[in-house]
């Protein structure tokens, strides 16, 4: 989809449809682009308002045919609610809805005015929110559809800015928003691609492709190298599958050569059958999604390089398929992890923490300034927080605060759970240093306590995205299915952190 900026006035814009945002409290007086269009169009918009068909209520729309009174064939009035209550998240949702309404009418090319009379948000904030909402809301995955989809995809969107300085600012916002949305789209595509196509090797190939950009270097550690260095927790999980495991290592150097990197680790289980502790039918159906954390890390590294963020970043994606079979690891097996600690496997379905254990140990080789892992780790996190919240646990309050800030900006809600040390008793083993699962209750916490044993003193935060990574229903600008949750959150976190770090050095 093409998306561009045009420096012109809304009333001179020749287009199939022009989206014009209107606030509820100023709807009768009309402001910004709406006012100018109304004047030029001889009261086209105010007539709709007068008869009560449009009030500016959030997410409500009215489609107005201009009958030759304006160069644009249609105006889509878009309600943005009360001016003071506007947020970026509301703009994302509203513009996603507007864009989808136009697509439903089979309109393939449309424009929107960036001047929706707003002083609560900066133009760069409202521009990127509108662009994100439209690009993410129009997302569809059609790789495996052989028939042409109806309504067809939108092919071009034009953002109208009428003075040079706002056009310039919009250009910058659009450039960034585009890179960020491409990263979300990549994650959604990788997650949606079924497990018969998206194997660990295929995920590694995708990473290699991203590595062609020169600013990102990619290294794949295969099973032979894993055996040599002793990644036996990861190898244990991989045993049951015909698909060889891969550890994807991505490296982006955007900061000073000596500055310690941020290391991101993402769970890359391309299919989680549960292993010998086989999942029931209902629990297995969406388990192609179990590499969502890994897809996030890959996409974030790619976008960070494209955005030229001023920091050093390492991405690690341990990738395996968890399958039963005559070679599969068994309940009761003891695995000697890369860290040297031994793990009794009491449940082969608690595989994520095993592969993360070795990846987190490996991460320490990079002497990270901080470590964040992101994983579809536990059903227990969904029980605790529901389908829409990311669970956050970790040993470092300042990282958690920064992540909370970032989450408010991006609308990817998260909630902290306690890393409650007393529950460590639940994962004590009779035969090894620990076991890989505790009781049913408190499962998101015991999983994080397990991971903690592999990070040492490194400042670390764990994000459990089991709930929000895959949605059963459409939600605002997230069509049902793979959401790409975590991509915008981590990019915003990295952006804010590099701003803070560079600010404090000068
Ligand atoms: N991949 C699952 C967690 C999951 C569940 C993600 C539902 C998305 C939706 C993970 O590997 C798993 O199976 N966890 C088990 C752990 C248990 C055996 C200790 C769980 O949560 O049931
Ligand atoms: Mn599992
Ligand atoms: Zn899993």
């Amino acid at each position: 989809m093409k998306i561009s900026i045009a420096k012109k006035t809304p009333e001179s814009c020749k287009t199939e449809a022009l989206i014009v945002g209107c606030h509820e409290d100023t709807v009768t007086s009309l402001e910004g682009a709406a006012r100018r269009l109304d004047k030029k169009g001889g009261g086209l918009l105010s007539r709709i308002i007068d008869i009560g068909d449009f009030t500016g209520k959030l997410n409500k729309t009215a489609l107005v045919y201009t009958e030759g009174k304006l160069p644009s064939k249609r105006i889509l009035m878009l309600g943005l609610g009360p001016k003071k209550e506007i947020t970026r998240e509301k703009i994302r949702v509203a513009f996603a809805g507007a864009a989808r309404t136009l697509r439903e009418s089979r309109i393939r090319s449309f424009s929107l005015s960036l001047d929706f009379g707003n002083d609560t948000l900066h133009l760069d904030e409202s521009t990127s929110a509108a662009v994100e909402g439209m690009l993410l809301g129009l997302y569809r995955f059609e790789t495996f559809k052989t028939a042409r989809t109806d309504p067809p995809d939108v092919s071009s969107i034009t953002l109208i800015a009428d003075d040079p300085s706002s056009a310039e600012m919009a250009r910058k916002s659009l450039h960034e928003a585009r890179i960020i949305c491409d990263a979300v789209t990549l994650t959604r595509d990788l997650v949606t691609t079924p497990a018969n196509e998206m194997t660990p090797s295929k995920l590694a190939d995708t990473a290699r492709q991203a590595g062609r950009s020169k600013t990102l270097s990619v290294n794949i550690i295969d099973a032979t190298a894993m055996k040599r260095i002793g990644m036996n927790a990861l190898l244990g999980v991989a045993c049951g599958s015909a698909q060889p495991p891969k550890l994807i290592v991505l490296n982006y150097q955007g900061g000073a050569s000596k500055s310690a990197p941020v290391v991101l680790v993402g769970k890359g289980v391309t299919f989680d059958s549960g292993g010998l502790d086989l999942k029931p039918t209902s629990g297995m159906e969406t388990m192609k999604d179990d590499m969502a954390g890994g897809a996030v890390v890959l996409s974030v590294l790619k976008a960070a390089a494209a955005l030229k963020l001023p920091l050093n970043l390492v991405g690690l994606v341990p990738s395996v398929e968890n399958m039963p079979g005559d070679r599969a690891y068994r309940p009761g097996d003891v695995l000697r992890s890369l860290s040297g600690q031994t793990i009794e496997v009491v449940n082969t379905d608690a595989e994520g923490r095993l592969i993360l254990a070795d990846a987190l140990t490996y991460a320490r080789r990079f002497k990270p300034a901080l470590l964040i892992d992101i994983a579809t780790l536990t059903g227990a996190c969904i029980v605790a927080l529901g389908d829409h919240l990311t669970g956050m646990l970790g040993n470092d309050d300042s990282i958690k605060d920064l992540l909370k800030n970032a989450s408010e900006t991006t609308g990817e809600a998260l909630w902290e759970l306690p890393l409650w040390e007393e529950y460590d008793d639940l994962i004590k083993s009779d035969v090894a240093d620990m076991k890989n699962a505790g009781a049913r209750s408190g499962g998101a916490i015991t999983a994080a306590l397990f991971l903690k044993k592999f990070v040492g003193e490194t400042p670390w935060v764990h994000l459990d995205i089991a709930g929000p990574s895959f949605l059963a229903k459409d939600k605002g600008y997230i069509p049902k299915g793979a959401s790409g949750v975590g991509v915008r959150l981590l990019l915003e976190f990295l952006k804010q952190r590099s701003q803070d770090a560079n600010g404090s050095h000068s």
Side-chain angles (χ1 to χ4, degrees), residues 79-91:
L80 295 175
K83 207 171 188 176
K84 285 264 150 27
E85 291 170 25
I86 195 70
T87 61
R88 280 176 271 204
E89 185 67 358
K90 285 181 181 165
I91 292 179

Side-chain angles (χ1 to χ4, degrees), residues 241-293:
S241 173
Q243 295 295 334
K246 304 284 171 189
L247 174 63
I248 303 166
V249 184
L250 307 116
N251 206 310
Y252 162 66
Q253 293 273 324
S257 61
K258 287 209 181 84
S259 97
V262 171
V263 181
L264 304 177
V265 180
K267 173 177 173 181
V269 176
T270 57
F271 187 71
D272 182 10
S273 70
L276 288 172
D277 288 307
L278 201 64
K279 285 183 184 293
T281 308
S282 61
M284 210 189 293
E285 196 187 324
T286 59
M287 278 304 134
K288 66 174 180 182
D289 151 68
D290 215 18
M291 36 61 79

Side-chain angles (χ1 to χ4, degrees), residues 49-179:
I49 294 161
D50 289 347
I51 63 173
D53 283 9
F54 181 78
T55 60
K57 256 202 178 42
L58 189 60
N59 299 332
K60 297 277 189 242
T61 55
L63 190 61
V64 182
Y65 295 92
T66 60
E67 310 285 356
K69 292 189 182 117
L70 286 167
S72 171
K73 286 191 197 156
R74 311 166 182 89
I75 305 284
L76 185 70
M77 299 172 79
L78 172 62
L80 295 175
K83 207 171 188 176
K84 285 264 150 27
E85 291 170 25
I86 195 70
T87 61
R88 280 176 271 204
E89 185 67 358
K90 285 181 181 165
I91 292 179
R92 287 182 199 109
V93 174
F95 278 87
R100 278 205 293 251
T101 301
L102 294 176
R103 182 173 67 187
E104 277 308 309
S105 305
R106 315 187 88 258
I107 294 170
R108 304 201 55 206
S109 167
F110 60 82
S111 307
L112 67 140
S113 167
L114 293 175
D115 175 19
F116 31 92
N118 201 297
D119 35 42
T120 315
L121 289 171
H122 286 297
L123 180 68
D124 56 341
E125 296 173 324
S126 53
T127 302
S128 45
V131 170
E132 284 173 11
M134 293 187 297
L135 289 179
L136 300 179
L138 288 173
Y139 175 83
R140 288 196 296 209
F141 183 85
E142 290 170 326
T143 311
F144 297 95
K145 298 271 192 194
T146 56
R148 189 174 295 164
T149 28
D150 190 71
D153 279 330
V154 171
S155 61
S156 88
I157 301 176
T158 310
L159 314 182
I160 309 295
D162 50 18
D163 68 89
S165 77
S166 45
E168 202 40 53
M169 195 183 284
R171 204 173 303 284
K172 190 165 166 276
S173 306
L174 171 60
H175 172 74
E176 283 183 13
R178 178 90 225 197
I179 292 172

